[in-house]
Amino acid sequence: QVQLVESGGGLVQAGGSLRLSCVASGSIFRVNTMGWYRQAPGKQRELVASITRISSTNYADSVKGRFTISRDNAKNTVYLQMNSLKPENTTVYYCNADLVSSSSYVYKEYNYWGQGTQVTVSS
């Protein structure tokens, strides 16, 4: 019943910007840490950026100074502002969230993934 819905991916020229959004919806009590991951073909999924509920952030070294992660707790939404995009940023980006579901009698934290959204940066 819980789902993460992403938007904002697409095609952009090198040096351009994109803003990814991810909304968590369903039987949710509280959304804890949220993050964005990338996975290139034949590679492991790896963290791009994460953000806690109190907005403590963590970034991969390759995106520091160019990408900014933020969230709106009232909307259960996480954003990834991607500036100065490079062709090497071309890959599939996945939204991730640790959240407490309200559908159980005893609340438990679960981890969820979005469907993935393609970002393509042309040179």
Side-chain angles (χ1 to χ4, degrees):
Q1 195 167 348
V2 173
Q3 63 177 3
L4 306 181
V5 180
E6 302 163 328
S7 61
L11 175 65
V12 67
Q13 294 185 18
S17 298
L18 286 173
R19 190 193 192 208
L20 306 184
S21 299
C22 173
V23 181
S25 63
S27 301
I28 298 169
F29 173 72
R30 190 175 78 175
V31 181
N32 294 324
T33 299
M34 304 184 81
W36 291 95
Y37 291 72
R38 63 190 175 200
Q39 187 169 25
K43 303 294 184 180
Q44 283 190 287
R45 192 169 297 184
E46 62 181 5
L47 178 71
V48 176
S50 65
I51 183 167
T52 69
R53 187 169 178 82
I54 59 171
S55 295
S56 177
T57 59
N58 186 40
Y59 295 93
D61 288 341
S62 61
V63 306
K64 288 180 180 177
R66 297 190 297 121
F67 292 9
T68 302
I69 189 169
S70 61
R71 67 188 291 164
D72 186 334
N73 291 338
K75 298 179 180 179
N76 289 334
T77 301
V78 64
Y79 307 94
L80 185 67
Q81 179 67 46
M82 303 186 293
N83 298 326
S84 301
L85 282 163
K86 306 173 181 178
E88 61 217 52
N89 297 134
T90 296
T91 189
V92 178
Y93 288 77
Y94 296 88
C95 179
N96 179 266
D98 291 322
L99 62 87
V100 178
S101 173
S102 60
S103 64
S104 300
Y105 183 79
V106 178
Y107 293 171
K108 298 290 185 180
E109 185 180 80
Y110 297 92
N111 185 260
Y112 293 87
W113 289 98
Q115 77 285 355
T117 185
Q118 177 70 45
V119 171
T120 303
V121 184
S122 64
S123 59

